[in-house]
Amino acid sequence: MLTGLALYLVFRKIDTTQLLDLVKTIHWFWLIPAVLLFILSKVATAVRLNQYFKNIGLILSEKLNFRLYLVGMFYNLFLPGGIGGDGYKVYLLNKEFKTPVKKLLQAALLDRLGGLVAIVFLLFGLFLLVDLDLEFFESSLWNGLMIAGLILTIPGFWLVQKLVFKDFLPSFWSANLWSFAGQIAQLICAWFILMALGIDEKILAYQLVFLLSSIVAVLPLTIGGVGARELVFVYAHQYAGIEETAAVAFSLIFFLITAGVSLVGAFVKVRFNTSIG
C-alpha cells in the first residue's frame, strides 16, 4: 500500500511525458558497466558478511556465501525494507549448522550497520563538496558538523562494535574496507547510469541524493524500496540543483538493475554439503 502511495506521489509531481521522452534517448551501452559495477558492489558486501560469519565460527566458502547472498537479495526484493533475505539466511544457517540465532542476527545486523556507516561517511564528504540551495548548508556550523562527522564516524562505529558486537571486532577493519568498496562501486554504477541518461553535470549532487535515498530505501516502508527512493529524489532535487525528471528516471533504472540481479537468486541452488570450505 505504501509502495503504491509513494509511486502515486512521485508521478503526480513529475511530467510523465518528459520522463518517457528521456527514456527513449537512453544510451544503453552505458548500462552494461553500470550492471557490472552493481554486481561487484554486491560481491564486496557479501564478502563483508562472510567476514562476520567467520568471527562466530561459521566457515563458508566465498562461492557458497555469494550464492546464499543472491538468494537473500531475491527475498529482499519483495519485502519492505529488504530485510526478508536476512531472516531467510539466519533461518537457513541455523537449521544447517546449528549456529545460535542470536549470533546470526548480530552478524546480519552488523552487516547492515557496516553498510550504513560507509554511506553516512561518504555523505559527510559529499555534503562538504556539493553546493546546496539552502542557507544553513553554507554556514560554518554546517561545515564544522560535516567535518566532525568525517572524523568521528569510524571511531564511533568501532566503539559501538566493541561494546555491543565484541565477537566481531577482529574483522572491524577488513569488513569496513569491503563496506567502502561496495558503496564506492555503487557510486560508480550511479555515474554510469547518469551517463546513460546523458547527464554530465551536477554528478556529485545526484550521487549525494542517491546515497540519501539508499538510507530511506532500507527503512521498512515500501516493497524493495520502490517509491521511497523516487520520493527522495523528487523532494531533494530543488535543494541539490538536479533535474527532477532525470532524477526519477535514474532511480527507476537503478531499481530495475537491482531487481534484475536479485531475480537471479530465484534460480540459485544452495547446497551446503558440497560447498563448505
Side-chain angles (χ1 to χ4, degrees):
M1 182 177 177
L2 286 176
T3 301
L5 177 60
L7 288 173
Y8 170 74
L9 292 173
V10 168
F11 285 103
R12 270 195 63 188
K13 285 185 165 291
I14 66 170
D15 186 335
T16 53
T17 301
Q18 185 180 353
L19 177 62
L20 289 172
D21 289 340
L22 181 61
V23 170
K24 292 176 184 177
T25 64
I26 288 177
H27 304 289
W28 298 100
F29 173 79
W30 289 108
L31 295 182
I32 297 173
V35 172
L36 293 176
L37 263 296
F38 179 81
I39 293 171
L40 284 175
S41 77
K42 292 306 173 182
V43 171
T45 51
V47 173
R48 176 187 66 203
L49 179 58
N50 209 17
Q51 297 279 305
Y52 294 140
F53 284 156
K54 290 174 182 176
N55 291 149
I56 55 176
L58 181 57
I59 308 301
L60 304 177
S61 68
E62 294 299 346
K63 180 181 177 181
L64 170 60
N65 177 62
F66 187 63
R67 292 171 72 88
L68 186 62
Y69 198 89
L70 282 172
V71 175
M73 285 179 62
F74 172 70
Y75 281 94
N76 285 344
L77 190 62
F78 302 104
L79 294 171
I83 58 175
D86 293 341
Y88 176 76
K89 283 181 284 190
V90 168
Y91 163 77
L92 204 59
L93 292 171
N94 170 257
K95 179 183 177 182
E96 185 69 24
F97 301 109
K98 310 305 179 187
T99 305
V101 171
K102 180 181 178 181
K103 295 296 183 183
L104 290 170
L105 286 173
Q106 285 181 325
L109 177 58
L110 191 58
D111 183 57
R112 291 277 174 163
L113 286 175
L116 180 61
V117 165
I119 291 174
V120 169
F121 183 90
L122 292 169
L123 274 173
F124 284 135
L126 286 174
F127 271 124
L128 287 170
L129 296 173
V130 176
D131 292 327
L132 298 172
D133 189 18
L134 203 63
E135 187 175 344
F136 178 64
F137 290 141
E138 299 177 359
S139 67
S140 56
L141 173 60
W142 173 259
N143 290 332
L145 289 172
M146 294 305 99
I147 293 171
L150 281 172
I151 295 171
L152 297 176
T153 297
I154 302 302
F157 186 44
W158 182 87
L159 183 60
V160 169
Q161 200 163 324
K162 182 175 176 60
L163 295 175
V164 184
F165 303 97
K166 187 176 292 186
D167 291 341
F168 304 91
L169 205 57
S171 64
F172 178 81
W173 291 111
S174 60
N176 275 281
L177 285 174
W178 285 113
S179 291
F180 278 99
Q183 291 304 325
I184 290 170
Q186 288 211 3
L187 286 177
I188 300 173
C189 166
W191 179 78
F192 280 120
I193 296 174
L194 292 172
M195 293 300 101
L197 291 168
I199 298 169
D200 56 7
E201 297 180 347
K202 299 277 187 179
I203 299 297
L204 291 181
Y206 280 97
Q207 291 180 325
L208 185 151
V209 181
F210 168 65
L211 289 179
L212 286 174
S213 73
S214 297
I215 295 176
V216 175
V218 171
L219 301 176
L221 299 174
T222 64
I223 305 299
V226 183
R229 279 187 183 275
E230 289 72 23
L231 275 178
V232 172
F233 277 97
V234 165
Y235 286 103
H237 84 279
Q238 56 186 324
Y239 303 111
I242 59 180
E243 208 283 315
E244 185 178 33
T245 304
V248 171
F250 164 86
S251 185
L252 290 173
I253 290 172
F254 183 79
F255 169 74
L256 290 174
I257 291 174
T258 303
V261 175
S262 299
L263 285 172
V264 174
F267 305 98
V268 171
K269 303 296 182 183
V270 179
R271 296 184 176 88
F272 292 104
N273 58 337
T274 59
S275 302
I276 299 174

